[in-house]
Amino acid sequence: MLSKKKGSKKMGTKVIMREMAVVSKMFCSSSEVVLRVRTRPHVVGGGGFVVTDLHTHEVVFKVDGVVGKKDHITLTDAYQTPLLLIRRKGGIVEALSLDKQWRGYTSNYVGSQKLVFTLKDPKPGITNRPVRVSIEQNNNNFYCRNLQIRGYFPDRDCNIVDSSGNVIAQVEVIKEMKQMMEKKDVYQVVVKPGIDQALVVGIIAVLDYIQKGC
């Protein structure tokens, strides 16, 4: 469970979690969730990974590239229901920025897209600037709108932290695979209570795409 400093309020012996339902409230759990990620070999417009629940072994999310569209990623649930379309923002916006920008969108039932987060990846040569994520939704229930990536994702050793430095999700090597070459292709993500798992996986999808140099 999160402590008071990590976005919870303690009343007597009862702890009330603050939710951050960016994609959907249905992906926010009242308890900590451990997800296992298995990546697929990168191919043009493909690759991605499959995410399963560590305890039930059921597929929770799937991440894929978009065939024929470079720098486009899709996140779906186990039933292939679209959850996020993530694409890189190029053109003059990126040219004038110190960062490469990725934007995640949800779609409503008529296909209208809504921007929900922006990830900014510092351009090569820019030092001392972490990868940053901004939550774009105007929801007063969110206790935090700005996130950072701390650590080194290619080694599967990094955290997603809130603006106070509290860890909301942790990417880590699976202990029993530390001595195996497969450790970077199969790893786990620990998501804290109340945090949108779809958002976390969407962020990791961008980090994975960047790492592969797609």
Side-chain angles (χ1 to χ4, degrees):
M1 295 292 289
L2 292 176
S3 66
K4 184 176 181 181
K5 292 183 179 179
K6 293 184 179 181
S8 63
K9 293 182 179 180
K10 192 169 184 180
M11 299 177 62
T13 59
K14 184 178 181 180
V15 176
I16 301 176
M17 298 308 307
R18 293 180 181 174
E19 288 187 347
M20 186 187 288
V22 179
V23 178
S24 174
K25 185 175 181 179
M26 68 181 293
F27 299 119
C28 298
S29 173
S30 60
S31 59
E32 186 174 271
V33 173
V34 181
L35 303 174
R36 182 155 290 188
V37 178
R38 182 178 294 274
T39 66
R40 296 191 293 266
H42 173 67
V43 294
V44 177
F49 52 79
V50 175
V51 181
T52 56
D53 184 284
L54 178 66
H55 301 295
T56 66
H57 306 292
E58 295 180 348
V59 174
V60 184
F61 303 107
K62 293 182 180 180
V63 171
D64 293 283
V66 178
V67 177
K69 291 187 177 182
K70 182 176 172 58
D71 298 338
H72 283 60
I73 311 167
T74 60
L75 171 67
T76 62
D77 65 13
Y79 305 100
Q80 301 286 18
T81 303
L83 301 175
L84 283 172
L85 170 64
I86 306 167
R87 58 176 183 256
R88 182 173 166 183
K89 182 67 175 180
I92 191 67
V93 173
E94 184 172 294
L96 297 176
S97 173
L98 297 176
D99 308 294
K100 297 177 183 178
Q101 296 190 25
W102 295 79
R103 297 183 176 182
Y105 301 84
T106 58
S107 298
N108 62 20
Y109 65 97
V110 294
S112 178
Q113 294 183 348
K114 179 180 180 180
L115 177 63
V116 293
F117 77 86
T118 300
L119 182 147
K120 296 182 179 181
D121 175 40
K123 291 179 180 178
I126 305 297
T127 59
N128 300 321
R129 284 172 63 88
V131 174
R132 295 167 295 155
V133 179
S134 300
I135 307 302
E136 305 291 351
Q137 288 180 298
N138 295 319
N139 189 327
N140 293 328
N141 292 324
F142 293 167
Y143 80 94
C144 176
R145 296 180 182 276
N146 297 293
L147 310 172
Q148 289 186 5
I149 311 301
R150 293 184 181 174
Y152 190 56
F153 176 77
D155 284 345
R156 308 303 186 243
D157 182 17
C158 68
N159 297 326
I160 302 175
V161 302
D162 64 20
S163 55
S164 297
N166 300 309
V167 176
I168 65 169
Q170 181 177 8
V171 178
E172 58 186 20
V173 173
I174 300 170
K175 292 181 179 179
E176 59 266 30
M177 293 185 176
K178 279 189 175 181
Q179 304 302 319
M180 300 171 60
M181 292 298 292
E182 190 184 35
K183 69 179 183 180
K184 293 184 180 180
D185 295 326
V186 183
Y187 55 96
Q188 67 186 27
V189 182
V190 181
V191 184
K192 298 300 182 180
I195 303 301
D196 193 324
Q197 298 158 45
L199 169 68
V200 170
V201 175
I203 292 171
I204 292 171
V206 179
L207 299 178
D208 179 79
Y209 195 95
I210 292 171
Q211 180 217 338
K212 291 177 180 177
C214 302

